Amino acid sequence: MTATPAPMVVAAVGVHVLDTHVIGIESIPAGSDGQLVETIRMSAAGTAGGAALVLARLGAQVRSLGAIGTDTAGDTLLALLAREGIDTAGLVRLAEHQTSASVIPVRPNGDRPAWHCIGANGAFTLDHLADDALDGLTHLHLGGPEFLGGPAAGDLLARARARGITTSVDILAPGDPDLLAWIADALPHTDHLLPNDEQVRGFTGESDLGAGARALVAAGAGAVAVTQGARGALVVTAAEPDRVVEVPAVALGEGELVDTTGCGDAFSAGYLRGLSLGRDPVAAARLGCATASFVARGLGSDAGVYDLDAVLSLVG
């Protein structure tokens, strides 16, 4: 049976990146030598951009809000987002900054170190948002609140919640107690916090992931859904802070795993789409894990062909 998508109008605010994936890197050639590789491709990425792309594939009406450069990389990023039907009018172009970009060499064993340029993401402020940026939204997803800082991020999220908009946050930087302090003002206005396991442990100093998630709920988040790679996700909510629920990852067949770049953003998108369908955080996390399994089969968040029906078929 074909799913009837629930109305979802979401703004993906913050970090938008152009990723360049290079597959088959065994080493960096010496001197000025060259090396043949299997594949080089570009994709839209970032805690806002990657989530925006996947949300659009899952049937949401998506706006991208953030900052990019006036360079060719920015042209390419806009084209990749527009190809998915995303409204990019809210991506301001800053001539004095380059578009944020990453180069990700993927080794044969799946390791994926990266070179990254922060670029225009570091210059984005709330002043770049149009007066009507929040009009008509059901959801606001803030990717990279650390670039705005806690007070500004908190202000944006509070404005959204005052309009009845569901808020969510995904953090880009590695876990560190000082970073948590930097964004602490945003947490009381965050309905759903979507970190990874390394971030939770680093933010809280807790070795036990459940205890770390509970600490973040105690800091103000309404629910914390933690990604933990091949183990899936872990969910704690303010409504039941003593209940820690593990949600397993969707198993892939032999040879199906290609690249995990973008899987965290895909989880965020699937989780948020689940919420829009009326699912609770645990059921939404199952949808997030299912969405990530499709992205893991290819390079980047735009890998493969999938839609909401395909993802729902894995979770029921």
Side-chain angles (χ1 to χ4, degrees):
M1 179 181 295
T2 301
T4 301
M8 184 183 193
V9 183
V10 55
V13 186
V15 175
H16 288 74
V17 182
L18 180 66
D19 274 0
T20 299
H21 311 265
V22 185
I23 307 304
I25 295 291
E26 295 183 356
S27 64
I28 297 176
S32 298
D33 291 347
Q35 181 185 103
L36 293 178
V37 297
E38 298 172 19
T39 304
I40 300 176
R41 72 184 299 271
M42 295 180 178
S43 65
T47 43
L53 188 155
V54 180
L55 278 163
R57 290 201 172 179
L58 298 181
Q61 182 180 331
V62 186
R63 305 173 193 166
S64 274
L65 306 177
I68 62 175
T70 56
D71 49 11
T72 303
D75 296 342
T76 303
L77 182 54
L78 286 176
L80 290 171
L81 293 169
R83 189 167 65 182
E84 303 290 340
I86 296 168
D87 180 351
T88 61
L91 285 175
V92 297
R93 307 200 70 169
L94 306 177
E96 64 273 26
H97 297 277
Q98 79 155 77
T99 298
S100 179
S102 295
V103 176
I104 304 171
V106 182
R107 297 186 176 120
N109 67 355
D111 287 347
R112 47 186 184 97
W115 293 282
H116 180 66
C117 178
I118 292 175
N121 284 325
F124 175 65
T125 72
L126 297 186
D127 291 337
H128 292 122
L129 296 179
D131 291 340
D132 61 353
L134 304 186
D135 288 357
L137 296 180
T138 60
H139 294 72
L140 184 145
H141 179 62
L142 176 58
E146 61 269 32
F147 289 98
L148 287 175
D155 176 64
L156 174 63
L157 296 167
R159 285 161 49 193
R161 292 180 80 189
R163 292 173 172 234
I165 298 168
T166 299
T167 63
S168 57
V169 169
D170 188 9
I171 302 160
L172 182 63
D176 181 273
D178 290 337
L179 178 63
L180 183 61
W182 175 249
I183 63 169
D185 289 344
L187 296 184
H189 309 290
T190 300
D191 293 320
H192 301 272
L193 182 63
L194 306 171
N196 62 40
D197 49 359
E198 182 276 334
Q199 289 170 330
V200 170
R201 292 189 176 98
F203 291 151
T204 66
E206 296 282 358
S207 58
D208 179 77
L209 197 58
R214 286 196 297 270
L216 292 172
V217 166
V224 178
V226 188
T227 56
Q228 42 183 347
R231 292 189 58 187
L234 178 149
V235 179
V236 176
T237 68
E240 298 180 278
D242 294 326
R243 180 175 179 242
V244 178
V245 182
E246 297 264 3
V247 177
V250 173
L252 298 179
E254 183 70 26
E256 284 190 315
L257 177 61
V258 174
D259 177 36
T260 58
T261 304
C263 284
D265 300 329
F267 173 86
S268 295
Y271 178 92
L272 297 174
R273 194 66 176 105
L275 295 176
S276 79
L277 295 171
R279 304 192 176 205
D280 64 27
V282 172
R286 293 192 182 98
L287 198 67
C289 288
T291 306
S293 75
F294 281 94
V295 170
R297 292 179 172 95
L299 298 179
S301 300
D302 61 346
V305 178
Y306 58 90
D307 58 14
L308 181 59
D309 286 335
V311 173
L312 287 173
S313 71
L314 296 183
V315 297

